[in-house]
Amino acid sequence: MKEKKFHHPLFLPLLVIGIIISIFAIFMIFLGQSVEQGEGFEIMGKRFIIAGITTIGLGYFAEYYNKIKNSLIIFKYFLKNIVKSNKSYK
């Protein structure tokens, strides 16, 4: 039997909100291009795209936080050992 994967509670809401914001941003950019004086819509659309991508990124960060934290701990451990080995040679 296949095991169910449990996601972090913030992953799916942040992912959905990020997708909705990005779709709204694309709509605003198309609206800005179709309207004669639509530069403001295009600027706001670009800002909303950045916000949507950031929200999706936060969702993935929440999902993989423990893996990121563990990899940083390993990196920190190796960094300390390199600094110790350099001091022992001097």
Side-chain angles (χ1 to χ4, degrees):
M1 188 170 164
K2 193 173 183 181
E3 292 183 26
K4 264 188 155 179
K5 178 172 166 99
F6 293 102
H7 297 288
H8 190 273
L10 290 176
F11 175 65
L12 291 177
L14 286 173
L15 187 67
V16 170
I17 290 170
I19 292 170
I20 291 171
I21 290 172
S22 298
I23 291 171
F24 181 68
I26 292 169
F27 174 73
M28 285 186 72
I29 290 173
F30 283 135
L31 183 66
Q33 290 176 352
S34 65
V35 177
E36 191 173 313
Q37 299 290 327
E39 293 90 15
F41 285 114
E42 290 182 24
I43 293 169
M44 289 300 294
K46 291 175 186 176
R47 290 179 182 175
F48 273 116
I49 284 181
I50 292 170
I53 291 170
T54 305
T55 306
I56 292 171
L58 283 173
Y60 278 104
F61 182 77
E63 177 71 20
Y64 297 109
Y65 174 73
N66 287 330
K67 290 181 181 179
I68 293 169
K69 185 176 73 170
N70 290 339
S71 66
L72 289 177
I73 288 172
I74 292 170
F75 179 71
K76 197 175 186 181
Y77 172 76
F78 285 123
L79 190 62
K80 283 183 181 179
N81 284 339
I82 290 171
V83 170
K84 284 181 185 178
S85 66
N86 286 341
K87 286 181 181 178
S88 64
Y89 287 124
K90 289 182 180 181

